[in-house]
Amino acid sequence: MIPGIAPKPAAPPVASVPQPRHMFVFGAGFVGRYVSEHLLAQGWQVSGTCTSPAKKRELEMLGVKASVFDATESNSSLQSIHSLQQATHLLISIPPIPGIGDPLLNLNEDLRRILSDGNLEWLCYLSSTSVYGDCGGALVDEDHMVNPKSESAKLRYEAEKGWLNLVNHLNLSAFIFRLGGIYGPGRSALDTLAKSNSLSRRQKLRESKQYTARIHVADIYQAVLASMSTRCPRKIFNVVDDDPAPRAEVFAFARSLIEMRYPDLIAKAPDVNSAESGIQERIVPAEKRVSNARLKKELGVKLLHPTYRSGLQSIIDSWPTEFQLPGRSR
């Protein structure tokens, strides 16, 4: 070393830049799109599937690498969806189809090959609390015996088993989320009333129920995030809020919110207590209160909207004061 000259400090090691995590969403509908938008805002790469070129363009405008994909087509193959092979996380939000079941599980060999050879760390299948069937109003948790009654509930349960069996020998975290009725901005009792929609026959069938599990889409996203931080070979979680209130009560509260803020908006609200002649006798019993204790204890989720009152209030607060209100023309 030359006297009086300080030695040149060693160059710091070059830190490797972590690659952004990559979520793939099978079925980027209401929940899938919400999750996609929020993960994109957090710097994730997001890819997914949809059912039409128009929806593909919408997703691409958000930053999602989207593919139009119909798993029911006879020549369907996952090999052409290259972004699936780069995904680190996989969210499945495609419901079973009557007469077919889970259309993705019918592509079993494709799925096994891609999931085994790829970079997947985490998988979550979005199911439904309907798999519990009728429990006579009892409080049910994830260890309660399932007893699906309707055809759709039976298909949901078969899909749950299919996905858990598929990942049985894979080294990844796998979750089943049994969701309550999903609501959020653009899809709520408020929106139904504001659009002056009549209740569908299916909605009317649920009006006599004493209990109805539900969950705000923002809290589904919370559960997704929390599960990503939990190493878990296979686990089932009920994703519901704290208040299984009947739908008629929810619609009554929604109407009161609208009448306070927009008194001229609703000329005649849908009659949420009405039902077609004879419908009561054809209702499939499904009374139960669904526990979210495991969601809170094991995933540490603190619900943003523990009741429908908080959830609906947040939705109407997001409506513009100078409206175009949802679904209304000037």
Side-chain angles (χ1 to χ4, degrees):
M1 182 179 74
I2 301 174
I5 304 294
K8 185 177 181 181
V14 178
S16 59
V17 179
Q19 294 299 310
R21 290 172 291 179
H22 187 162
M23 171 67 81
F24 191 96
V25 180
F26 270 120
F30 186 71
V31 174
R33 179 167 172 160
Y34 188 97
V35 170
S36 297
E37 286 188 77
H38 285 73
L39 289 181
L40 285 166
Q42 297 297 317
W44 283 61
Q45 292 181 4
V46 180
S47 306
T49 67
C50 57
T51 55
S52 71
K55 291 179 180 178
K56 179 177 185 290
R57 288 191 292 272
E58 290 179 9
L59 291 169
E60 288 174 340
M61 289 179 66
L62 297 174
V64 177
K65 185 175 182 181
S67 303
V68 177
F69 180 71
D70 184 352
T72 65
E73 293 182 355
S74 58
N75 60 346
S76 292
S77 171
L78 299 174
Q79 297 300 323
S80 60
I81 308 178
H82 302 297
S83 54
L84 176 58
Q85 299 169 27
Q86 281 81 52
T88 56
H89 295 68
L90 178 61
L91 181 68
I92 303 103
S93 186
I94 296 179
I97 300 170
I100 295 177
D102 189 307
L104 289 170
L105 290 175
N106 291 337
L107 304 174
N108 192 286
E109 291 307 313
D110 261 5
L111 272 174
R112 284 187 184 278
R113 184 164 47 252
I114 291 171
L115 300 188
S116 299
D117 298 343
N119 304 309
L120 205 62
E121 305 168 6
W122 174 97
L123 179 149
C124 182
Y125 175 71
L126 300 183
S127 185
S128 167
T129 57
S130 65
V131 299
Y132 294 113
D134 181 32
C135 304
L139 183 66
V140 301
D141 63 15
E142 293 85 350
D143 295 324
H144 193 280
M145 181 184 69
V146 298
N147 187 25
K149 295 293 186 181
S150 67
E151 182 63 21
S152 62
K154 292 175 182 177
L155 291 175
R156 282 286 189 189
Y157 185 50
E158 288 303 313
E160 286 186 8
K161 293 188 291 184
W163 281 102
L164 291 179
N165 181 61
L166 185 71
V167 302
N168 193 40
H169 301 296
L170 300 180
N171 183 29
L172 52 78
S173 292
F175 297 87
I176 302 293
F177 282 177
R178 290 174 176 165
L179 307 179
I182 303 161
Y183 75 104
R187 177 173 161 173
S188 70
L190 290 164
D191 296 278
T192 299
L193 293 171
K195 295 171 185 174
S196 297
N197 286 347
S198 297
L199 294 181
S200 67
R201 180 179 180 277
R202 185 178 178 184
Q203 287 173 320
K204 289 178 181 179
L205 284 170
R206 298 197 293 259
E207 287 310 315
S208 67
K209 289 181 62 177
Q210 184 177 0
Y211 304 109
T212 303
R214 63 182 53 79
I215 188 70
H216 193 287
V217 66
D219 284 318
I220 299 175
Y221 177 64
Q222 279 213 105
V224 166
L225 286 184
S227 68
M228 290 175 179
S229 303
T230 303
R231 184 64 182 170
C232 181
R234 269 156 294 286
K235 198 82 174 189
I236 296 173
F237 287 92
N238 294 329
V239 182
V240 299
D241 69 14
D242 298 338
D243 186 5
R247 283 172 53 84
E249 179 182 315
V250 175
F251 270 86
F253 180 71
R255 183 184 176 95
S256 71
L257 288 179
I258 294 176
E259 288 177 338
M260 282 189 293
R261 191 167 300 191
Y262 307 106
D264 299 325
L265 177 60
I266 306 177
K268 183 179 185 300
D271 182 0
V272 298
N273 292 308
S274 68
E276 296 173 15
S277 175
I279 275 181
Q280 298 298 326
E281 288 71 35
R282 296 195 295 273
I283 293 175
V284 176
E287 292 289 3
K288 57 190 170 290
R289 292 171 296 129
V290 182
S291 170
N292 59 17
R294 178 182 287 180
L295 177 74
K296 294 176 176 178
K297 181 179 179 180
E298 297 188 20
L299 291 186
V301 172
K302 184 177 181 180
L303 295 173
L304 295 171
H305 303 294
T307 78
Y308 69 86
R309 292 176 177 269
S310 166
L312 293 180
Q313 186 69 59
S314 72
I315 293 169
I316 200 167
D317 286 346
S318 71
W319 287 6
T321 51
E322 293 290 331
F323 46 95
Q324 203 74 7
L325 281 173
R328 308 284 289 200
S329 58
R330 292 185 183 276

